[in-house]
Amino acid sequence: MIGPRPWYTRDVRSMTGHGRGVAGDGEIRIAIEIRAVNHRFLDLKLRGGLDPAVWENVSARVRKRLFRGAVQVEARVHGGAASGAMRADPVRAKEALAALTSVATAIGSSAPIPLELVCAQPGVIAVAEARGEVDPRVIAAAGSATDAALDGITAMRDREGDALARDVAARVATLDKLIAELAEAATGAAARHAQKLGERIAKLTQAAGVTVDPGRVAQEVAVLADRLDVTEEIVRAKSHLEQLSVLLADAEPVGRRLEFLLQELSREVNTIAAKSQTAAISATVVSAKAELEKIREQAQNIE
């Protein structure tokens, strides 16, 4: 059994969340809205009328604090120079159209690409100063608004992550008990099965009047017993559970590592199921698989 330890910390974070921030002075006001849902990696999409240099600053701030998920950042600019002259970049527009057309072709879609969608791509339409420079106030306001939005989405992710961690911890504790039950049920099971098989062979050969080499029979029975033994799988499963408990207490993003450990743990449980020769072990394996599947579903939303 796994000993007492902190099963999780509030650093376990969900990938789902929303945050909004507004910043600026009397002339310039920028609103940044961030939405995020599940994704295997960090997939960052930027929308809105900000200069590429401003977007670069915003993107860097987001990447420092969000490590996984499909993240959409939308900017709205109001007032002063920030909402004055707009600059269109035909080269970026053509690149955006080509990329969107490629996606449509890949998925077999013949629907026309809306102009609004092309213009919404980063850098196609951007705010431009009359002298061709970005107003430092725009950069500062966008940065402050982004930080505020990140604070909001992080708080939401933390709250949901705390609930996820509690659920996963409870299920891991249940799984720990099931593995302990498997270990107890498997103790001597292979030897007992081999002994019964040896006795059955002896009866059959005696009834048929056939003489067999006892040493050869004992050797084959021993090989079968070794194949049915699940001691190694039990040891590895316990080790994976111990690593899970440590992982849930890690301050770093754990989602992908958690998925890997669950995959390895599932492999051990499946091997135990394949070797199982008793109804008790088979029933416990079914329960363990059910818990693993529920943990895997939760892990898919952990950053």
Side-chain angles (χ1 to χ4, degrees):
M1 298 291 287
I2 297 174
R5 63 170 59 250
W7 277 98
Y8 66 92
T9 70
R10 291 188 64 86
D11 292 300
V12 172
R13 182 174 293 165
S14 167
M15 281 188 282
T16 303
H18 172 270
R20 186 174 187 273
V22 180
D25 54 26
E27 296 182 5
I28 298 172
R29 185 168 65 89
I30 296 179
I32 297 290
E33 194 164 4
I34 303 177
R35 298 182 180 88
V37 294
N38 298 5
H39 198 273
R40 189 175 180 183
F41 305 102
L42 178 62
D43 180 22
L44 183 59
K45 291 183 173 61
L46 310 173
R47 298 184 62 183
L50 292 179
D51 187 272
V54 182
W55 272 127
E56 184 177 351
N57 178 269
V58 170
S59 176
R61 290 172 184 266
V62 173
R63 292 180 184 278
K64 283 183 179 179
R65 296 180 60 179
L66 304 183
F67 305 97
R68 196 174 178 216
V71 180
Q72 179 177 300
V73 183
E74 186 171 355
R76 290 185 175 86
V77 186
H78 309 277
S83 61
M86 302 296 291
R87 181 184 66 196
D89 190 330
V91 174
R92 284 183 178 268
K94 291 179 181 178
E95 292 175 349
L97 179 59
L100 292 170
T101 301
S102 176
V103 171
T105 301
I107 63 176
S109 173
S110 59
I113 307 298
L115 178 61
E116 294 84 354
L117 183 58
V118 175
C119 292
Q121 305 311 303
V124 175
I125 303 293
V127 177
E129 292 296 308
R131 58 181 181 279
E133 298 177 358
V134 180
D135 190 330
R137 296 176 299 171
V138 175
I139 298 178
S144 297
T146 300
D147 288 343
L150 286 169
D151 289 343
I153 193 173
T154 298
M156 182 176 290
R157 281 180 153 202
D158 283 343
R159 288 192 297 271
E160 185 172 337
D162 186 50
L164 288 173
R166 288 180 183 276
D167 183 73
V168 171
R171 296 190 184 283
V172 170
T174 300
L175 196 56
D176 182 43
K177 294 178 182 178
L178 291 172
I179 295 298
E181 290 177 12
L182 283 175
E184 182 177 357
T187 301
R192 289 193 297 271
H193 183 77
Q195 182 180 356
K196 290 180 180 179
L197 181 61
E199 294 172 352
R200 187 178 302 173
I201 292 175
K203 288 182 180 179
L204 290 173
T205 54
Q206 184 178 3
V210 177
T211 301
V212 295
D213 181 4
R216 180 63 177 173
V217 172
Q219 182 180 2
E220 292 298 326
V221 169
V223 171
L224 176 62
D226 183 63
R227 290 177 180 175
L228 296 177
D229 185 39
V230 295
T231 301
E232 293 183 5
E233 287 78 9
I234 294 292
V235 170
R236 285 194 293 266
K238 289 181 177 180
S239 174
H240 294 329
L241 283 173
E242 180 70 18
Q243 292 180 65
L244 274 176
S245 72
V246 173
L247 194 61
L248 289 174
D250 198 332
E252 297 298 321
V254 300
R256 293 180 65 186
R257 288 179 289 165
L258 181 60
E259 289 178 356
F260 171 76
L261 270 179
L262 290 172
Q263 179 181 344
E264 293 302 304
L265 187 54
S266 179
R267 192 193 312 277
E268 303 303 337
V269 172
N270 284 333
T271 303
I272 293 172
K275 291 184 174 182
S276 171
Q277 297 292 321
T278 69
I281 291 179
S282 297
T284 306
V285 163
V286 170
S287 298
K289 284 185 175 182
E291 288 300 319
L292 274 171
E293 182 59 30
K294 292 172 184 176
I295 295 173
R296 186 181 294 108
E297 290 175 359
Q298 297 290 46
Q300 291 175 354
N301 196 36
I302 294 178
E303 185 179 51

